[in-house]
């Protein structure tokens, strides 16, 4: 989907494996993708490499991870890799931006 700009996966059953496959194909398949929303998904720190790849996507500007199983340590790595992005992250319903 080359015209895809935003992807809402909130409350979906996406797995770490499926998300990793998506991120691996993201740059070539979705050059305009600028925002990914993963709120309340079951992805974990096992998606770290895929998330790092995603935040380095040339057009990416926003990533929402609120309610996921991503640890604070991995979130901090993502933020360090792309501090210009707008991030949302929180555990237990609290969000930090």
């Amino acid at each position: 989907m080359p015209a895809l700009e935003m992807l809402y996966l909130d409350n979906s059953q996406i797995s770490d494996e499926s998300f990793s496959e998506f991120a691996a194909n993201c740059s070539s398949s979705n050059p305009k993708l600028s925002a990914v929303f993963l709120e309340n998904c079951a992805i974990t720190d096992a998606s770290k490499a895929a998330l790092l790849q995603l935040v380095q996507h040339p057009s990416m500007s926003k990533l929402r991870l609120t309610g996921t199983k991503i640890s604070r340590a991995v979130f901090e790595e993502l933020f360090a890799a792309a501090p210009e992005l707008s991030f949302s992250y929180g555990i237990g319903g609290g969000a930090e931006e």
Side-chain angles (χ1 to χ4, degrees), residues 37-56:
F37 302 96
L38 295 161
E39 188 169 344
N40 298 317
C41 290
I43 63 167
T44 69
D45 287 355
S47 289
K48 177 178 142 180
L51 288 165
L52 283 167
Q53 187 174 12
L54 187 65
V55 300
Q56 294 171 354

Side-chain angles (χ1 to χ4, degrees), residues 45 63-76 78 86-97:
D45 287 355
L63 179 63
R64 183 167 57 201
L65 298 170
T66 307
T68 63
K69 296 180 181 179
I70 301 297
S71 69
R72 178 77 179 179
V74 168
F75 170 74
E76 288 176 0
L78 296 170
S86 172
F87 286 95
S88 294
Y89 170 81
I91 298 172
E96 302 171 22
E97 293 197 44

Side-chain angles (χ1 to χ4, degrees), residues 4-8 26 30-37 51-65 75 78-79 81-88 97:
L4 182 68
E5 293 181 24
M6 292 185 180
L7 181 63
Y8 290 88
C26 187
N30 309 100
K32 295 181 181 181
L33 185 65
S34 63
V36 175
F37 302 96
L51 288 165
L52 283 167
Q53 187 174 12
L54 187 65
V55 300
Q56 294 171 354
H57 187 282
S59 61
M60 189 60 56
S61 64
K62 185 177 281 191
L63 179 63
R64 183 167 57 201
L65 298 170
F75 170 74
L78 296 170
F79 183 77
E84 70 282 358
L85 263 63
S86 172
F87 286 95
S88 294
E97 293 197 44

